Amino acid sequence: MIGIYLCDDDDAVRHQIQNTLERSILIGEYDMRIVASVPAAEELLEAVRREKGKRGIYFLDVELKDGEWDGFLLGREIRRSDPHATLIYITSFGDLAYRTFRYHLEAFDYMIKDPARLEADVSRCLAAVAEHLLEERADPDQIFTVRTGERLRHIPVAEILFFETAPAAHHLYLHTAHSRIE
């Protein structure tokens, strides 16, 4: 189950996003749950530390009313604990999106706090994240890596027919449809 973390210092906006996330999880039957919905960066970081090692989805307000933190610094700190985090930024100011690049945060989305559109944007974003995570989990062609002398060869597992013991001690033959590798 993937945890969702929400940090926004505006209680009304945070509750609207949280309610939308809960409905979207239920309707989409996503394997997700809200771990934290908090107004302050330190509270969010504490929740992240408790879930150490688990990948999360983070909805972060850009302009936190905290002298020490803003959403970009919070995102950078989250990346230290959760390098594969999915970061989604929410703000009242559309012209701050470029700052995600300055901090090298690789944000998944950037939403404007428009009450008329926020619910639809959050739902759409969560659906896109769920689809992205499914595609990411799909097994790419598995590769078998073998050393032949000083050379490493990468053979797709689907191409391997069988292995055979070779006459020389500690040697094998790997057979594919088009080759035999010792």
Side-chain angles (χ1 to χ4, degrees), residues 141-153:
D141 289 337
Q142 293 185 357
I143 302 294
F144 181 77
T145 304
V146 63
R147 181 180 299 278
T148 57
E150 294 297 314
R151 186 173 157 205
L152 280 179
R153 303 230 1 226

Side-chain angles (χ1 to χ4, degrees), residues 47-99:
V48 171
R49 289 182 197 110
R50 282 193 304 269
E51 299 283 321
K52 185 105 175 123
K54 295 185 180 177
R55 180 179 191 170
I57 302 167
Y58 301 84
F59 288 82
L60 307 174
D61 183 10
V62 171
E63 295 291 317
L64 296 170
K65 293 180 183 108
D66 185 337
E68 185 178 340
W69 293 96
D70 69 9
F72 300 118
L73 291 174
L74 179 57
R76 189 165 55 187
E77 189 62 30
I78 288 168
R79 283 266 184 243
R80 289 186 181 129
S81 298
D82 185 355
H84 301 290
T86 301
L87 302 176
I88 296 119
Y89 284 99
I90 307 156
T91 185
S92 300
F93 309 101
D95 59 346
L96 295 176
Y98 75 92
R99 288 181 58 194

Side-chain angles (χ1 to χ4, degrees), residues 21 32 41 45 49-50 67 78 82 99 101 103-104 123 149:
L21 289 169
M32 300 173 185
L45 291 173
R49 289 182 197 110
R50 282 193 304 269
I78 288 168
D82 185 355
R99 288 181 58 194
F101 298 107
Y103 284 93
H104 306 285
S123 294

